[in-house]
Amino acid sequence: MLSLLTSLALAQTTPTGTTTPDTTVQSYGFDGHGFRLVDTDADPRDPMQIYRPGASTPLSFSLGGLVEYANRPVVFEDAAGVRTAALSNVAALNLAGGFVPVGPLRLDVAMPVYLLSSSVDYLGTTSSGAGVGDLRASAVGTVLAPGDDGGFGLGLLAALDLPTGDASRYLGTDGPAGLAGVVGTYEQDALTASWQVDARFAPNTTAETRPAPTRGGDTVEAALALSYLVDEALGVGVETHVAFPIDPVVQQAIGIPAEAMVTGRYRTASGGYGMAGLGFGLGSGAGASPIRVVVGGGFGTVSEPEPKDADLDGIVDKADACPMEPETVNGLADDDGCPDVLPSVTFVARLDGAEQAEAEVKVTGGSAGDASDKGRVTVSGLPGTRLEATAQLGACRRASVQGVVPQQEGTTLDLPLARVDGTVVVAVTDIADRPLDGVQVRYVIPDDACRPQDTSVRGGRGIHTVGVGPIKVFVTAMGYDVFQDAFDLEPGQQKLVTAKLKPTSVRIDAGQIKVNQPIAFDGDGAVLDARSVTTLDQVTSLLLSMDVMPKVTVQAWGSSKKVSEDRAKAVVAALTASGVPPELLEAVGKGTLPRGQTDVVRMLVAQ
């Protein structure tokens, strides 16, 4: 049972020693309810009346309510030891709501709604009925939140109590009150300890109006709670609260309120929760009811603390072997939280032991996909990854190697370049299919290293070993046209070239390219006829078959200077289109055809 230790709350002693009511002073009371619900976020570890600091989800909210019954929160005792229940049979609905605008800050409001109560004022007047209590607005800022595996939490608390209750019935203060304090918690596995220490600044009487200390005055408050998580949804606990009035006269008048409560809380998966508690008064003090029963529930988002991840690599510090260094996500031990570098291997193109900086090196199978570069390529990958590397210098010098990424860093593998060959079989006959002798074969290959050593033809047949790659081959014999063919020779391929030579229609004689059929145009214009296009292809073959291609000047005549120039340009264009380098050709329009001259085009070869 809690009691007031003096009757000064009921009467004031006059100088003559008589005891009479003081209606000018004692019309005031104080908040003797003694229970203040703290809004929570449905965490089963949370106490009912203590703020527990911790990480919260931004923009989360919660609403809760408790139905309460307290039998005698305020009892007066006079000098004769007669006790009077100044406030009893309190039935209230304690409401609280909270909102988290940002992670470290939580804002709450709470108010009791009294459904029923009975009170006796200093004059002995009894009153009962419903009403509201003081409205409290509070803010808790988390300075330190417990980690993923528990530990300490610390926060700062500030609150403002607005006098919306009825002070004369001991259900509110008659002026604003403020509160400032520190809250803390410690979590270890299923056990949680929470505490709160604060100073509350409330209205009080003055020395001139005493002895009438029933306005309460400033107090220092302390609370401690222990909770145990039975499972993720159920928590049980016990919490105690005590208030120490600072003014010794007030402390003598209303005592030191202290109360203990056994609590339980159950949370559903959807965020709803239920809670209940049974309280007992400890010692003597106004506001501590001998019996207090609460039951209720609410809805709220659960403030599960975000797992700490100091290096922001997605692996929480508790499971991170390198919590201050981010994991390198590359497929190699990606779950240990440590930076790591995939082992690499370097492929180097070499010819006769010397590195070839101009060789094209390509590697497939690395962690970054295919890679290519000049001379050498470095790729990385998981140990054991299969790699395939190729190198090519020019057309026919090639190398390939297969390997795996080693465990160690900095391995080098050589790509030894060697000439890769195919075979060209040349068969040469005349138009009557008779093998020809005296045949000349010329290969035009961009890479000199790929040329054949032997190009001889005997009895109309030659077998030549040639480096792979793009090839043009020209075949001719004295008195015959030039045959040409072009193809890509693959490694190990045997390519058959069949050349059936016709009697020559194109030749070089006395510094001029002679053709059996003169070059002609359609009408008086500059459009070559089809036969002349074929003839110019033979001219191209003749020029390309020469070891050193000469410069050629194309002269043309026509009905005018303009027509002759256009005709010369048309011949140069046809030769260029069939493969003659344009820088070796010159077009000259000669004007009208001289008397006695029949050929309209002449091709002069520079000596």
Side-chain angles (χ1 to χ4, degrees), residues 53-432:
S56 298
T57 304
L59 305 183
S60 62
F61 70 95
S62 57
L63 297 171
L66 280 177
V67 176
E68 171 202 358
Y69 172 76
N71 64 338
R72 295 191 305 276
V74 179
V75 176
F76 291 161
E77 182 178 336
D78 60 17
V82 178
R83 294 178 175 178
T84 302
L87 179 63
S88 62
N89 296 318
V90 177
L93 175 61
N94 297 277
L95 300 176
F99 177 69
V100 180
V102 292
L105 179 64
R106 183 178 185 88
L107 305 177
D108 296 320
V109 292
M111 172 186 281
V113 177
Y114 299 110
L115 308 176
L116 181 67
S117 66
S118 178
S119 59
V120 179
D121 65 13
Y122 74 102
L123 295 175
T125 304
T126 300
S127 60
S128 62
V132 298
D134 288 351
L135 174 68
R136 170 170 289 185
S138 57
V140 179
T142 298
V143 178
L144 175 66
D148 302 338
D149 52 354
F152 286 98
L154 188 65
L156 301 178
L157 168 65
L160 176 64
D161 293 338
L162 300 179
T164 54
D166 189 347
S168 66
R169 297 178 57 203
Y170 308 107
L171 297 176
T173 57
D174 59 0
L179 181 148
V182 178
V183 293
T185 188
Y186 178 77
E187 300 173 9
Q188 180 65 46
D189 299 326
L191 293 174
T192 300
S194 303
W195 60 90
Q196 176 176 323
V197 177
D198 61 74
R200 185 172 183 269
F201 307 95
N204 193 10
T205 54
T206 63
E208 291 77 15
T209 60
R210 289 175 180 160
T214 55
R215 299 180 85 180
D218 302 337
T219 56
V220 174
E221 303 174 345
L224 174 65
L226 297 175
S227 63
Y228 176 77
L229 276 178
V230 179
D231 56 34
E232 291 297 323
L234 178 62
V236 295
V238 59
E239 54 189 273
T240 60
H241 309 265
V242 63
F244 300 91
I246 295 177
D247 190 321
V249 178
V250 174
Q251 185 177 129
Q252 182 181 10
I254 67 174
I256 299 176
E259 188 173 330
M261 179 174 285
V262 178
T263 63
R265 185 187 299 270
Y266 179 78
R267 179 188 71 198
T268 66
S270 61
Y273 63 90
M275 52 186 175
L278 178 60
F280 305 92
L282 303 176
S284 301
S289 179
I291 297 294
R292 192 187 306 269
V293 180
V294 293
V295 62
F299 177 85
T301 55
V302 180
S303 295
E304 296 291 349
E306 288 290 334
K308 289 186 177 180
D309 183 11
D311 54 14
L312 302 178
D313 60 359
I315 301 175
V316 298
D317 292 351
K318 185 177 181 180
D320 197 332
C322 303
M324 302 308 295
E325 300 177 274
E327 167 67 46
T328 304
V329 181
N330 52 18
L332 179 63
D334 286 343
D335 56 355
D336 66 355
C338 292
D340 43 51
V341 178
L342 292 176
S344 65
V345 57
T346 301
F347 294 90
V348 181
R350 298 185 183 275
L351 181 63
D352 298 330
E355 182 174 346
Q356 301 299 306
E358 295 303 314
E360 290 284 348
V361 180
K362 296 180 180 180
V363 181
T364 59
S367 60
D370 297 349
S372 62
D373 207 343
K374 296 279 191 178
R376 60 171 55 205
V377 169
T378 300
V379 296
S380 58
L382 293 173
T385 301
R386 296 191 64 82
L387 301 174
E388 183 172 348
T390 60
Q392 182 170 331
L393 180 62
C396 64
R397 286 176 291 185
R398 303 180 182 184
S400 65
V401 66
Q402 291 183 340
V404 297
V405 177
Q407 294 287 342
Q408 69 275 15
E409 172 69 15
T411 300
T412 300
L413 295 178
D414 289 341
L415 287 162
L417 293 163
R419 186 172 123 160
V420 179
D421 292 330
T423 302
V424 178
V425 178
V426 180
V428 188
T429 64
D430 61 12
I431 57 176

Side-chain angles (χ1 to χ4, degrees), residues 567-587:
R567 286 181 169 182
K569 292 177 181 178
V571 173
V572 167
L575 293 173
T576 300
S578 59
V580 179
E583 63 271 15
L584 298 180
L585 300 172
E586 180 184 8

Side-chain angles (χ1 to χ4, degrees), residues 392-398 418-422 424 443-455 464-471 489:
Q392 182 170 331
L393 180 62
C396 64
R397 286 176 291 185
R398 303 180 182 184
R419 186 172 123 160
V420 179
D421 292 330
V424 178
Y443 289 90
V444 177
I445 299 175
D447 187 354
D448 289 342
C450 303
R451 297 180 185 276
Q453 297 296 318
D454 178 19
T455 60
H464 308 144
T465 301
V466 187
V468 297
I471 294 174
L489 187 62

